[in-house]
Amino acid sequence: MNDTFALPGSDWPTLLPGWVWLCGAGPGDPGLLTLHALNALRQADVVVYDALVEPRILDWAPQARHLYAGKRGGKPSAKQRDISLQLVELARSGARVLRLKGGDPFVFGRGGEEAQTLVQHAIPIRIIPGISAGIGGLAYAGIPVTHRDVNQAVTFVTGHDQSGQTPSSLDWPAIARSAGVIVIYMGMKHLSQIAGALIAAGRPAGEPVAIVTEATTPAQRVLETTLGTMVSDAATAGMEPPAIICVGRTVLMRQTLDWQGMAAGLAPRHLDPLGRDDAAQTA
Ligand code: SAH
C-alpha cells in the first residue's frame, strides 16, 4: 500500500535515530494527514500516540511499535511529565520517535510542553503541524470559521483550565467581546457554565451554536442549536466528547455549505442564510 503513495522527489527529511518528531495527526480522517506526517509514519521505529489519534492512521506505520500515551477522561492515564520523559528515553535509546498528537500539536495539546522537555534534555526535534479540529472539524460540518460577511476575528478557547476542573480562570466577558465567532475545545464538561457565562457577558441567547462531535470521522455528528438551548439540546441528542463547539453566525452557513449532507442527497436548506440580496452576495 505504501508504494501507491510514493512521495515524489528525494528531499523529504529523514527521521534519524535519537530524534523525536512531534507531529499533528489532524482531527480524524486519515486523508487530512500532511505529507510530512506520512513521511514520518513510514520512517518511525516507535509511534507514541494520543487518544484522539484515529486508529486507522497507525496502519500507515506497520513497521513501528505503537505506544498509547493518551489521557482519556475517567481512565487512568499517563501523566504529562511521564509522557515527556518517555519520549526522552526512547530517543536516548536510539529510536526514531514519532510523537503523534490529535489535530495540531501546538493547539491545546501540550505539544509545546513536550517540545520544551525534549529540548531541555538536548533531544533534537522537528515539529509537524496538523489540521486542528477547531478549523478542519468545522469545515467538515460545513462551517467556515471566518466568513467576510460575519466576522473578522475568531477566538479559540479551551473549556478546561489547567486543573481540568472549571473554566473559571478564563475571562469570559473578554472572550464574549473578542470576536464574532468563538470556537471552544474541551467544552462539553462545562457546557452549562460556558453558555451561562457567554450569555451573562452579553451574547444573545438566540445566537447560533453548532456542536460537532468526532468531527471528520465516520461517526461525526453535528447539532445545530443556540446559546440558550444548547445544554438541553446536547443532552437530548446525547452529544458526547470529543466535541468542538462553535458559537456565532458562521454556523448559519451550514444551511448552504453542508457538503456532506448534499453529497448524501440533501438539498441546501437556504442559499443565503444571512438573508442578503444577490447584489450584496457578489459584491
Ligand atoms: N490538538 C488538538 C486539540 C487537543 S485538545 C487539535 O488541534 O485539534 C482535545 C479537544 O480537541 C477535544 O476535547 C475536542 O474539543 C477537540 N477535538 C479533537 N479532535 C476532535 C474531533 N475529531 N472532533 C471534535 N472535537 C475534537
Side-chain angles (χ1 to χ4, degrees):
M1 172 152 88
N2 280 354
D3 291 336
T4 322
F5 285 91
L7 293 167
S10 54
D11 50 355
W12 290 92
T14 302
L15 174 47
L16 293 169
W19 281 62
V20 177
W21 285 6
L22 197 58
C23 176
D29 182 347
L32 297 178
L33 287 170
T34 63
L35 294 178
H36 275 304
L38 182 57
N39 178 47
L41 280 159
R42 287 177 173 181
Q43 298 182 64
D45 297 316
V46 50
V47 181
V48 183
Y49 66 99
D50 277 355
L52 285 173
V53 172
E54 165 72 34
R56 283 177 298 160
I57 286 172
L58 298 172
D59 294 346
W60 290 90
Q63 80 292 346
R65 199 147 60 95
H66 301 165
L67 284 181
Y68 175 68
K71 300 151 159 287
R72 231 183 298 225
K75 286 197 182 169
S77 58
K79 293 217 168 51
Q80 186 58 49
R81 189 174 156 70
D82 295 344
I83 296 172
S84 297
L85 293 178
Q86 185 184 29
L87 295 174
V88 170
E89 270 161 34
L90 285 166
R92 285 199 174 143
S93 77
R96 287 171 273 245
V97 184
L98 173 57
R99 173 66 170 128
L100 200 56
K101 299 175 76 75
D104 182 281
F106 279 0
V107 177
F108 300 134
R110 309 209 194 188
E113 293 166 51
E114 289 178 22
Q116 278 175 305
T117 304
L118 290 163
V119 170
Q120 281 158 6
H121 287 81
I123 306 294
I125 60 169
R126 181 184 187 95
I127 308 294
I128 302 176
I131 294 179
S132 192
I135 298 177
L138 291 176
Y140 266 44
I143 300 167
V145 286
T146 73
H147 187 293
R148 202 165 60 127
D149 297 326
V150 175
N151 59 321
Q152 278 72 50
V154 54
T155 300
F156 296 99
V157 181
T158 170
H160 281 183
D161 66 12
Q162 245 189 349
S163 66
Q165 292 307 310
T166 65
S168 55
S169 60
L170 295 174
D171 183 349
W172 288 99
I175 291 164
R177 281 193 308 273
S178 63
V181 173
I182 303 170
V183 176
I184 303 160
Y185 292 68
M186 294 176 276
M188 292 302 271
K189 201 168 151 200
H190 302 298
L191 207 53
S192 71
Q193 289 102 308
I194 291 168
L198 287 174
I199 292 170
R203 301 291 289 228
E207 185 162 10
V209 171
I211 299 178
V212 187
T213 62
E214 297 187 70
T216 81
T217 76
Q220 172 178 302
R221 294 181 66 203
V222 184
L223 174 71
E224 290 175 44
T225 174
T226 65
L227 261 187
T229 54
M230 72 176 185
V231 175
S232 57
D233 286 352
T236 306
M239 304 301 277
E240 295 285 343
I244 288 292
I245 302 162
C246 180
V247 178
R249 288 172 73 238
T250 55
V251 166
L252 299 176
M253 298 298 170
R254 180 172 152 76
Q255 297 176 12
T256 310
L257 301 179
D258 175 16
W259 57 273
Q260 290 184 316
M262 290 187 281
L266 294 177
R269 277 172 287 159
H270 210 306
L271 287 181
D272 186 5
L274 296 179
R276 295 152 309 129
D277 59 27
D278 286 342
Q281 232 185 109
T282 51

